[in-house]
């Protein structure tokens, strides 16, 4: 699916550039970014247990499908949580610790690497603005470089997220306040806007809470819930009907076949 989709996107973009002479913003089409220089470190150990419960709110990354191919982003990249779920190809460059036969590895942003102002940005404060930095789960880092290097220069580019299955909605809150963590987002991987619709309400705009979570202050208990989601990067909006049944409950995760590609 993915290669076909990408080549279709490429053809369409080429076509559009031919017509109007500059790269267009076409809703629904995600283009990989240019390869850009940054640096990478790692956190946690080989079990990646320290990467669970990160600043995106994905909780247990094994249960929720992200595994150990994840990274914490410096705040410059994290964009107040709007970068949660975005995907990056990362390759180690210009260091003897690089595994030269590994073209790149792909990670999903699941956490924030916060600044530490008591360390200089070129000596430990790797995640201080304006640095673009990836603090990778150790197993992900070990795919591109010898971990003993500690920090390596990398080239990275944003790529579409290839996800198996549809969007996953993890519910918190109560019958009057719904907090939803959106997971397994394909395509751009990110979300700019969400709406919820109860079986007895219209579409209700949700506000960004933290990480990859959105909330609605509305009486939704006892109603089947549908969701509308807009991609931050592509601005495409998709609708997932009847994601949760009328007896939905906080603490449960609901899924839909619908996803971005
Ligand atoms: C920030 O850096 C200082 C100096 O290295 C260190 O003692 C401190 O633990 C760091 N803070 C955090 C939150 O990591």
């Amino acid at each position: 699916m993915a290669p076909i989709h990408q080549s279709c996107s490429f053809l369409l973009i080429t076509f559009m550039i031919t017509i109007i002479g500059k790269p267009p913003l076409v809703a629904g089409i995600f283009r990989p970014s240019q390869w850009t220089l940054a640096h990478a470190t790692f956190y946690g150990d080989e079990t990646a247990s320290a990467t669970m419960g990160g600043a995106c709110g994905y909780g247990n990354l094994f249960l929720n499908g992200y595994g150990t191919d994840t990274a914490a982003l410096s705040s410059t990249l994290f964009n107040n949580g709007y970068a949660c779920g975005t995907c990056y190809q990362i390759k180690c460059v210009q260091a003897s610790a690089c595994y030269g036969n590994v073209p790149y590895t792909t990670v999903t942003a699941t956490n924030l690497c916060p600044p530490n102002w008591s360390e200089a940005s070129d000596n430990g404060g790797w995640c201080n603005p304006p640095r673009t930095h990836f603090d990778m789960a150790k197993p992900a880092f070990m795919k591109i470089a010898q971990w003993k290097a500690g920090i390596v220069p990398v080239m990275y580019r944003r790529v579409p997220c290839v996800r198996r299955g549809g969007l996953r909605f993890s519910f918190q809150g109560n019958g009057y306040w719904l907090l939803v963590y959106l997971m397994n987002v394909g395509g751009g991987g990110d979300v700019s806007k969400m709406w919820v619709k109860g079986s007895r309400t219209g579409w209700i705009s949700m506000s960004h809470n933290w990480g990859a979570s959105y909330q609605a202050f509305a009486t939704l208990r006892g109603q089947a819930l549908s969701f509308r989601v807009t991609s931050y990067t592509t601005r495409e909006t998709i609708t997932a009907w009847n994601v949760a049944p009328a007896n939905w409950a906080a603490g449960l995760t609901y899924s839909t076949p619908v996803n971005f590609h």
Side-chain angles (χ1 to χ4, degrees):
M1 285 294 282
I4 293 167
H5 177 76
Q6 278 163 23
S7 63
C8 288
S9 304
F10 176 75
L11 286 176
L12 180 54
I13 289 164
T14 308
F15 173 69
M16 295 294 286
I17 290 170
T18 309
I19 298 294
I20 63 174
K22 63 176 182 183
L25 179 69
V26 181
I29 293 183
F30 179 86
R31 289 169 290 156
S33 66
Q34 299 290 310
W35 287 100
T36 308
L37 188 65
H39 287 79
T41 48
F42 64 87
Y43 71 118
D45 60 18
E46 277 142 63
T47 68
S49 55
T51 66
M52 306 291 140
C56 293
Y58 296 139
N60 185 310
L61 300 175
F62 291 111
L63 291 180
N64 290 322
Y66 295 104
T68 60
D69 290 323
T70 65
L73 306 185
S74 61
S75 46
T76 300
L77 289 169
F78 193 66
N79 192 17
N80 288 320
Y82 285 106
C84 284
T86 52
C87 298
Y88 302 84
Q89 289 174 348
I90 299 180
K91 56 184 172 188
C92 180
V93 294
Q94 302 163 9
S96 58
C98 295
Y99 294 143
N101 58 344
V102 183
Y104 56 79
T105 194
T106 306
V107 297
T108 303
T110 59
N111 205 353
L112 167 69
C113 178
N116 184 341
W117 297 113
S118 49
E119 297 191 312
S121 65
D122 61 353
N123 187 17
W126 310 120
C127 291
N128 296 356
R131 291 183 67 104
T132 50
H133 189 88
F134 296 86
D135 200 16
M136 302 169 73
K138 191 173 181 185
F141 186 91
M142 290 170 70
K143 289 182 180 175
I144 59 167
Q146 295 164 30
W147 68 266
K148 282 184 179 167
I151 179 168
V152 290
V154 295
M155 297 292 277
Y156 77 95
R157 65 173 184 170
R158 255 197 78 190
V159 292
C161 298
V162 179
R163 299 285 178 222
R164 215 169 272 232
L167 299 173
R168 292 164 59 84
F169 300 77
S170 177
F171 283 21
Q172 293 297 334
N174 54 50
Y176 310 97
W177 169 59
L178 178 65
L179 180 65
V180 176
Y181 294 85
L182 190 60
M183 302 188 285
N184 204 48
V185 182
D190 50 5
V191 173
S192 66
K193 200 87 194 63
M194 256 178 82
W195 295 261
V196 60
K197 183 188 169 334
S199 41
R200 297 189 297 274
T201 74
W203 287 103
I204 297 164
S205 179
M206 302 178 80
S207 57
H208 184 220
N209 186 309
W210 66 284
S213 74
Y214 289 78
Q215 63 190 347
F217 295 94
T219 303
L220 293 167
R221 90 182 201 191
Q223 301 180 54
L225 302 182
S226 302
F227 291 91
R228 195 161 266 175
V229 180
T230 300
S231 163
Y232 189 97
T233 299
T234 69
R235 304 182 191 178
E236 182 185 5
T237 299
I238 56 179
T239 303
W241 292 101
N242 297 316
V243 172
N247 64 349
W248 62 263
L252 296 183
T253 298
Y254 299 93
S255 58
T256 167
V258 173
N259 208 340
F260 298 103
H261 294 286

